[in-house]
């Protein structure tokens, strides 16, 4: 054998050291990606190879159970005027008393924030 080369998806990986002709090392590293994207299959439709994309509602399970607390319906949570990134990047201390997941129900007043005991 006189040469060995390596290929990989160029939108995910960088390859250094290819081809190796006599001696050497193939080095694989991840490409840099935009902030706030995940490596996943399509947000909708049929199965295809994964790519980097933003999260969509379909990525979150319909019911979320947290440490044995009653399941919270993701579909029932009003996400108007907010984004998943708002919740995912919030500090736990910022949510204390504002989003008591064990108390989220289908009732309440539209447009009024959730508060402890409210």
């Amino acid at each position: 054998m006189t040469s060995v080369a390596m290929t990989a998806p160029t939108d995910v990986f960088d390859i250094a050291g290819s081809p190796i002709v006599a001696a050497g090392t193939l080095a694989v590293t991840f490409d840099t990606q935009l902030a706030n994207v995940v490596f996943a299959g399509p947000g909708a439709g049929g199965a295809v190879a994964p790519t980097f994309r933003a999260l969509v509602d379909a990525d979150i399970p319909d019911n979320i159970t947290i440490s044995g607390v009653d399941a919270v319906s993701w579909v029932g949570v009003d996400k108007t005027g907010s984004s998943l990134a708002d919740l995912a990047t919030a500090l736990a201390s910022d949510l204390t008393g504002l989003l008591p997941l064990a108390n989220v129900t289908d009732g309440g007043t539209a447009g009024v924030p959730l508060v402890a005991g409210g």
Side-chain angles (χ1 to χ4, degrees):
M1 182 177 324
T2 59
S3 177
V4 174
M6 176 182 247
T7 61
T10 58
D11 57 338
V12 179
F13 301 106
D14 283 328
I15 299 173
S18 182
I20 296 175
V21 178
T25 301
L26 296 170
V28 180
T29 57
F30 283 105
D31 277 348
T32 57
Q33 302 296 330
L34 296 174
N36 301 315
V37 295
V38 296
F39 188 64
V48 297
T51 60
F52 287 92
R53 63 169 177 80
L55 285 175
V56 296
D57 279 350
D59 292 320
I60 309 299
D62 286 340
N63 291 306
I64 302 169
T65 302
I66 301 171
S67 300
V69 176
D70 290 338
V72 176
S73 171
W74 180 249
V75 175
V77 175
D78 182 3
K79 298 172 283 298
T80 307
S82 187
S83 72
L84 181 61
D86 293 337
L87 182 58
T89 59
L91 297 174
S93 60
D94 293 338
L95 299 176
T96 302
L98 297 176
L99 187 61
L101 295 177
N103 297 325
V104 174
T105 67
D106 291 335
T109 305
V112 176
L114 297 172
V115 293

